[in-house]
Amino acid sequence: MKKTINRKTYNTETATAIAGRSASLPRSDFGHWEATLYRTAKGAYFLHGKGGATSEYADHIGHLRRGGADIIPKTGAEALAWCEEHECQDAIDTHFAALIEDA
């Protein structure tokens, strides 16, 4: 998927996937979703997600909803927070080590 937001183009074909997660629901469930965090060659982060009609990635057509997909730009801090929320420890260790300190 490719999308231009605020004069910046985000492209899943040219960026590097660094982490991914999905809902523990069957794909046929309207709430099913899957998302992948990407990093561009210039260091920008974005989330590519897709899901069913009741997921956060649903398309809205008037009062109707259907499955859809979207690209959401993320700052470095937002990308790290997403990785923490979804327990993507390998991505944290690899891409955000400079932002992490031992307890």
Side-chain angles (χ1 to χ4, degrees):
M1 181 175 191
K2 183 177 177 181
K3 186 174 181 180
T4 300
I5 302 167
N6 294 327
R7 298 184 183 187
K8 293 183 180 179
T9 299
Y10 302 90
N11 188 341
T12 59
E13 304 240 344
T14 58
T16 302
I18 62 171
R21 287 290 182 260
S22 63
S24 57
L25 298 168
R27 286 184 181 263
S28 59
D29 190 293
F30 289 148
H32 178 77
W33 61 268
E34 49 192 62
T36 304
L37 183 65
Y38 287 87
R39 186 172 190 264
T40 68
K42 291 186 174 183
Y45 295 95
F46 68 94
L47 194 64
H48 171 251
K50 57 186 173 180
T54 61
S55 75
E56 65 184 285
Y57 302 107
D59 283 336
H60 301 268
I61 304 167
H63 296 291
L64 302 176
R65 294 169 58 118
R66 68 175 183 190
D70 202 5
I71 285 180
I72 304 162
K74 298 283 185 188
T75 65
E78 291 169 337
L80 172 56
W82 188 88
C83 287
E84 289 176 331
E85 179 182 347
H86 293 89
E87 300 178 1
C88 302
Q89 192 62 49
D90 288 343
I92 293 169
D93 293 342
T94 302
H95 299 279
F96 302 103
L99 302 175
I100 304 298
E101 62 183 61
D102 288 335

